[in-house]
Amino acid sequence: MENYSIQSTQENQKSYNRQRTTSISNSVGINAVNNSNDVAIIQRLLINKGYSLSENGHINAIQSDPTIVSILNFQSNNSLRITGNIYPNDDTFKHLNLNHNPQNIIESDDESVHQPFATNAFFFRRKANNANTLNVIFEGDSWLDYPVPRVLDLYDTISDRNQRLNLNALHLAKFGETTSDMYRDRSNFIQYISNYRIDRIYFSGGGNDVFPKLDRIVKSTHTTFQDNFFTDVSKLAELRTLSGDALKRKCIQYRRYLNTTAFDNAIFNKTNLNSIFGSVYQNYMSFGAIVNAHTSERTRFYMHTYDYPMFKLGVKPSLAGVSLPLGPWVQPVFDQYRITDDILKAYIIIRLLDKFYYLLRYIKSKFSERFRFQTEIINFRGVLNDSRYWRDEIHPNSDGARRLATRVNF
């Protein structure tokens, strides 16, 4: 089979638009004669199905080639003849074109009040030994287990986006849990990871360790943003002319101008923050040791940052317009310390979440040193940069969860 360097993205689009209503002219796959335009069409179709590969990559007659792997997986997931080839008008090509623009799940399909564990575990066990399934454990907090009906959480949207992989999910997440709570309640995690092949672990942990203790992390000594906290006077002057979402977006964009040394020394209680982060680190490492003892180098452990929760400060979770006895978690601390400066509020949150990101990077480095499984950090910072993506103070709404899930590919 010849090797093809696929045309540029623009050329691919033009080619695809010309041929999208017609069949491919030759074929794509192992030991096949490939037309570069066909390859572009097949790659585009696979990408639209959610497969992670590059449109302008190469296709080689080896089973480690990303396009070949995606074709093999697609054929397996759809119970088609597994050849790695796609011939003109064959069943694989027809299946690729079915539901070309599949719809996301909608809020009426929400599983925010998720299956009881016994039911979920039963279905997981029934499918876990199927070689074609991707067995995934979801462990974490309310970003994976938002307890309000008709609000999609990340568990819903990540599961939906990755269904092409014949996902078999075990949902262990519980809203409100800290990483210490998760480790204390680790019996189910250990039971399933030690008795079944676990391919992926998605872990959402740390938010509840940090935000409910914000009053211990932030000092009460500053109520306004000081000039020496910024390294660019003109940029700070610009921020002071803005308000609302526009200000928050610009604060995210300009965070590189923050004088982090001056800001951190003035704003954060380093002893308390280091203690909280140290606990999070120990709990992640403890879970890592469990994963390492029972999985292989093919297992992937995903952990994510949180996005900057500052677009709906003070808004509580609600159901049918009625506030629930949950939160808010951030604004009351600002009220307690009489912090009314929106720039200061924004950079307290931004800097704290950036520090958490660097904590995850440190954890990833230690995982790589000590453990054999693979680790990925999903960086959500700055993705939900508008009020319309947030449900309440610290949780995304359904549109926000869908937006975040585009960054997660198993």
Side-chain angles (χ1 to χ4, degrees):
M1 183 186 76
E2 298 178 45
N3 295 341
Y4 284 95
S5 179
I6 308 307
Q7 302 162 322
S8 68
T9 302
Q10 184 177 12
E11 291 171 338
N12 283 347
Q13 181 65 58
K14 291 177 181 178
S15 172
Y16 176 72
N17 288 339
R18 287 195 303 268
Q19 299 197 42
R20 64 183 299 178
T21 58
T22 64
S23 65
I24 55 178
S25 58
N26 293 304
S27 57
V28 177
I30 298 172
N31 298 322
V33 175
N34 288 280
N35 178 291
S36 60
N37 290 337
D38 290 352
V39 175
I41 293 171
I42 296 303
Q43 287 179 324
R44 176 62 60 84
L45 290 170
L46 287 166
I47 288 169
N48 286 340
K49 295 290 184 182
Y51 287 79
S52 179
L53 55 96
S54 173
E55 289 180 51
N56 59 349
H58 297 264
I59 179 167
N60 302 291
I62 54 175
Q63 292 199 23
S64 61
D65 178 86
T67 301
I68 298 297
V69 169
S70 296
I71 293 170
L72 288 167
N73 287 340
F74 179 83
Q75 290 172 332
S76 174
N77 293 339
N78 290 277
S79 300
L80 300 169
R81 182 166 173 260
I82 302 174
T83 63
N85 295 324
I86 298 179
Y87 297 101
N89 295 315
D90 72 357
D91 285 343
T92 300
F93 185 67
K94 291 175 183 176
H95 272 72
L96 276 172
N97 277 292
L98 290 175
N99 300 318
H100 181 64
N101 294 307
Q103 297 296 312
N104 285 321
I105 55 174
I106 58 176
E107 292 184 347
S108 61
D109 300 320
D110 170 42
E111 295 182 15
S112 287
V113 180
H114 297 293
Q115 284 180 332
F117 173 72
T119 304
N120 174 227
F122 169 78
F123 285 112
F124 179 86
R125 291 193 301 270
R126 192 170 69 173
K127 295 170 61 179
N129 292 322
N130 186 333
N132 291 329
T133 63
L134 191 76
N135 296 328
V136 184
I137 292 180
F138 287 86
E139 175 63 281
D141 52 27
S142 55
W143 273 44
L144 296 176
D145 187 45
Y146 193 75
V148 177
R150 294 182 178 271
V151 181
L152 304 176
D153 54 37
L154 265 178
Y155 172 72
D156 299 317
T157 56
I158 292 173
S159 299
D160 179 52
R161 179 173 171 77
N162 286 274
Q163 276 305 321
R164 60 179 173 78
L165 298 173
N166 198 15
L167 209 67
N168 183 34
L170 182 69
H171 182 262
L172 300 179
K174 296 178 184 177
F175 70 91
E177 285 208 330
T178 64
T179 55
S180 296
D181 295 330
M182 296 171 203
Y183 188 67
R184 185 168 50 249
D185 298 338
R186 64 189 180 277
S187 58
N188 286 325
F189 186 91
I190 293 174
Q191 176 187 347
Y192 282 87
I193 203 168
S194 61
N195 286 289
Y196 299 94
R197 184 198 78 248
I198 303 300
D199 305 300
R200 304 287 186 267
I201 297 154
Y202 192 95
F203 197 89
S204 172
N208 291 314
D209 299 73
V210 173
F211 286 110
K213 299 175 183 176
L214 192 61
D215 60 337
R216 294 178 51 204
I217 295 171
V218 175
K219 296 178 181 178
S220 60
T221 51
H222 286 77
T223 58
T224 58
F225 192 87
Q226 305 298 303
D227 290 352
N228 70 312
F229 291 165
F230 230 53
T231 62
D232 189 310
V233 176
S234 63
K235 295 291 192 300
L236 180 56
E238 179 186 353
L239 292 179
R240 286 173 170 159
T241 67
L242 302 174
S243 62
D245 284 8
L247 170 63
K248 298 177 180 70
R249 281 192 289 270
K250 192 64 73 171
C251 284
I252 294 170
Q253 181 182 343
Y254 286 171
R255 68 185 187 274
R256 66 185 180 276
Y257 299 112
L258 190 67
N259 183 337
T260 56
T261 300
F263 187 83
D264 290 357
N265 288 336
I267 298 301
F268 295 126
N269 183 317
K270 291 187 178 180
T271 300
N272 289 344
L273 180 57
N274 288 340
S275 175
I276 292 166
F277 274 14
S279 177
V280 173
Y281 167 78
Q282 289 297 334
N283 290 321
Y284 268 85
M285 295 305 296
S286 296
F287 270 106
I290 295 170
V291 173
N292 193 61
H294 299 290
T295 63
S296 73
E297 66 278 358
R298 294 186 298 275
T299 302
R300 291 185 191 173
F301 186 102
Y302 293 77
M303 47 189 173
H304 69 214
T305 71
Y306 299 88
D307 205 349
Y308 304 117
M310 58 188 182
F311 287 87
K312 287 194 174 178
L313 288 178
V315 177
K316 300 177 64 172
S318 63
L319 178 61
V322 178
S323 293
L324 299 175
L326 301 169
W329 297 265
V330 181
Q331 184 60 39
V333 177
F334 293 153
D335 292 341
Q336 176 185 345
Y337 292 159
R338 295 186 175 90
I339 298 174
T340 59
D341 187 324
D342 286 338
I343 298 176
L344 180 57
K345 291 179 184 179
Y347 279 115
I348 287 173
I349 293 168
I350 288 170
R351 185 63 182 146
L352 193 56
L353 268 291
D354 286 351
K355 282 177 170 289
F356 183 76
Y357 167 69
Y358 290 116
L359 172 63
L360 292 185
R361 285 183 57 176
Y362 181 70
I363 291 170
K364 176 179 169 63
S365 72
K366 292 301 179 181
F367 276 9
S368 298
E369 287 176 12
R370 302 181 188 183
F371 306 138
R372 63 177 178 270
F373 58 84
Q374 303 171 55
T375 309
E376 294 191 29
I377 299 173
I378 309 299
N379 186 359
F380 288 144
R381 294 174 302 158
V383 176
L384 308 181
N385 60 356
D386 194 290
S387 295
R388 70 179 184 271
Y389 298 127
W390 292 89
R391 170 72 176 184
D392 56 49
E393 191 178 57
I394 66 172
H395 298 102
N397 59 21
S398 300
D399 287 339
R402 292 190 190 99
R403 189 175 174 89
L404 294 174
T406 62
R407 297 216 167 178
V408 183
N409 292 298
F410 289 150

